[in-house]
Amino acid sequence: MTDVLDRLNLLQGTDSIREFSTGNSLPIVARPWGTHHWTLQTGRTPWVFNRRLKRLEGVRLTHQPSPWMRDYCSLTLLPFTGPVQGCVEHQASAYRVEAAVLRPNYLSVELLRYGVTMEMTPTERGAAFLFHFPSGIVPRLAFYFDGAHALRQEGAHHVTGVTQDHEGGVPDGYGLYFLGEFNIDVSKLVKTEWGGYLEFPEGTEEVELRLAGSFISPEIAQVTLHRELQGKAFQEIEDEGGDIWKGLLGRLEIDAVSAEQERTFYTCLYRCLLFPRFLDEVGKDGEIIHCSPYDGQLYAGRMCADSGFWDTYRTLYPLLALVYPDVLQKMIDGWMSACRQSGWSPKWSSPGLRDCMIGTHFDVFVADVVSKGLTDWDVEKAFEYLWQDANCESSDGRYGRPGLEDYIRLGYVPCDKYPYAVSSTLDYAYDDFCVAQVAAYLGREAEATEALQRSQNYRNVFDSGVGFMRGRLSAGEWARPFREYEWGGAYIEGGPWQHVFNVPHDPEGLADLFGGRDRLCRKLDEMLAKPSTFEAGHYGYEIHEGTEMALAGFGQYAHSNQPVHAFLFYYALMGCPEKTAHWVKRICQELYSPDDLPGDEDNGEMSAWYIWACLGLYPHCPGKAEYVIYEPVARSVKVRGAMGKEVARFSKEGAAKRGSSNGGVIHHRDVFGAVLTV
């Protein structure tokens, strides 16, 4: 059997630019959910790498979850020979990306300008490097930084420093302390404005580097270096990482209809195991600790970062709940640390709170894990943050719900006072549904009743006269004029078509607004048959999501962005699973490949959608412990537990039979032990 790691394409989604995304992803070499990621660098932030560019600037230690969020606490390593240039762009070398070896646990690339080959294999918080130089020259190794930094030589074999580049949202002084240990003497360190470079004795042909990083202190970097890297051969570290990746990727075994589908499946699954990252570390006595990106203090316990819940609640976290609940349990601890230290539930953490996107979808995350039986943690404490989300308006866009007081008073967010008002109303209503689910679990009947009533507020922005969700003014009247193809304004990253069905918690109620199940299905038909016309609206220019929708060829269905991702599954919920299967299959065949994704990857969300399509399941409403069933695009997929035992199997024939007998859905508890096949 072919090694699963050989079926991955780390270059998937890397032919992306600001104006058009095929993933906006990086070829990340790392341990699953690792503290530090490593990638090839062909340009400066925020677009660090593009596979079409022919010059390599080095291997970058990165924490960038998305080019839209930028990087933090990074550094770039570039081995070279000959003259020292003034910047990394001038020091860069031609390379052949097709000749590079890129696996999750190993990287190898040749710098043609210098005749130098570098190899790297990662640990959770560090990496081992091998630099192979031509004979008879003076080997050099450059350290490049994007922001504040320090670089020092410590004795003959060590280099230390700190890198502190970030966009804000973290306390002063927050940074990454690093320690590098070489197998030979360092002749000298030359500091520069951009960082510095090391020289090694002339004629040295191989330099080995062990590098560890800590957000806590130089001392913990030393502890990490000793624990993860010292006393281990390069090959041993590589094999260790490979075994970890194989074990996790092997929890899903696909019987694919083609080699391309198999490669796409496992490449997407690899991308689902990168974010969020664990920012916690191991102390000298083996204790789990972390430096808070919220207040800069040292705490016991786990810490998670680099996840936008507006994106990831839809597909990624439900996938982790199904296949990796043991890992998700640790993430719960990490996100609760973020809540306690920031005082709010996280919306977009990178590594501290960021002002990005709308809603408070940590509410959905909590409701979903509780609904699926992951309750061995302090749900009561989490509910405090959820209830705060639902009742306390914040003037800081990094947390809370803007316009909340008006939303509670009017039953909708008024579009003459707040941007993205329709999208916010729909998101707040769904968030309230999820708050109600957690309240009900805890026996808080009054809070559950209040939140559940608010979850019907989506009805207040539906205009039956135009057949869309539509902006309303503070006085109650509809905003005019209404333009069905206009993006922005009352809608975020889309327009009326891209938000019209965004009521995951009440599909039957949504159908009633349209006049019944059949008419809802006809509205879906219309969405897919429409021309891909759109107006720039308040954005004033064509945002990349619009370009991607126009070129995809699926009418007003804009799969390159998250709001539509549950829409095709309404067909199955309304009694037409064959239509769901038809369109899901087309999306997978025409928009996904081992090379490209249909829009921003967004921390595994786009990839997780493809995994669900292969399973023939979809979490249409995270917060409910159920899935839509339809014919999967793969022949079958086996699901294995943490110990390797098969716990479920899905196939084309079996899923169709089970779905027809269950009204189109299956409960989470019924998935396990089920063999959905004939």
Side-chain angles (χ1 to χ4, degrees), residues 505-518:
H505 57 293
D506 191 11
E508 293 296 339
L510 180 66
D512 289 343
L513 293 181
F514 284 103
R517 288 180 160 212
D518 289 344

Side-chain angles (χ1 to χ4, degrees), residues 113-235:
R113 174 178 175 180
Y114 305 116
V116 173
T117 299
M118 54 179 164
E119 301 178 80
M120 188 275 292
T121 185
T123 64
E124 287 190 46
R125 304 168 190 90
F129 290 84
L130 290 174
F131 304 107
H132 305 279
F133 292 92
S135 60
I137 52 88
V138 175
R140 295 187 171 113
L141 176 64
F143 284 70
Y144 292 97
F145 303 92
D146 284 344
H149 65 272
L151 183 65
R152 297 178 297 275
Q153 183 177 347
E154 299 285 347
H157 291 267
H158 294 86
V159 62
T160 65
V162 62
T163 174
Q164 295 176 304
D165 59 305
H166 47 70
E167 288 262 301
V170 296
D172 291 342
Y174 187 83
L176 179 71
Y177 301 92
F178 59 89
L179 170 63
E181 182 177 83
F182 295 93
N183 66 326
I184 62 171
D185 288 352
V186 177
S187 300
K188 66 178 179 179
L189 164 64
V190 179
K191 296 183 181 181
T192 66
E193 181 181 350
W194 41 260
Y197 65 93
L198 307 175
E199 286 189 358
F200 303 94
E202 183 175 352
T204 300
E205 296 185 13
E206 182 176 280
V207 175
E208 185 170 350
L209 166 65
R210 308 298 176 96
L211 186 72
S214 168
F215 289 99
I216 298 173
S217 68
E219 291 74 23
I220 297 300
Q222 173 66 66
V223 170
T224 299
L225 184 71
H226 176 75
R227 176 175 285 110
E228 296 187 3
L229 291 156
Q230 285 182 337
K232 295 181 180 180
F234 184 96
Q235 189 65 53

Side-chain angles (χ1 to χ4, degrees), residues 44 49 73 206 212 219 261 335 402 432 460 475 561 619 641:
R44 308 302 291 273
F49 179 82
C73 298
E206 182 176 280
E219 291 74 23
Q261 184 184 77
W335 288 122
D432 283 335
N460 298 329
N561 205 24

Side-chain angles (χ1 to χ4, degrees), residues 43 54 246 303 339 379 490 600 615 666:
K54 305 303 183 184
K246 291 173 191 176
M303 170 58 70
C339 290
V379 181
D600 283 355
L615 287 168
I666 185 173

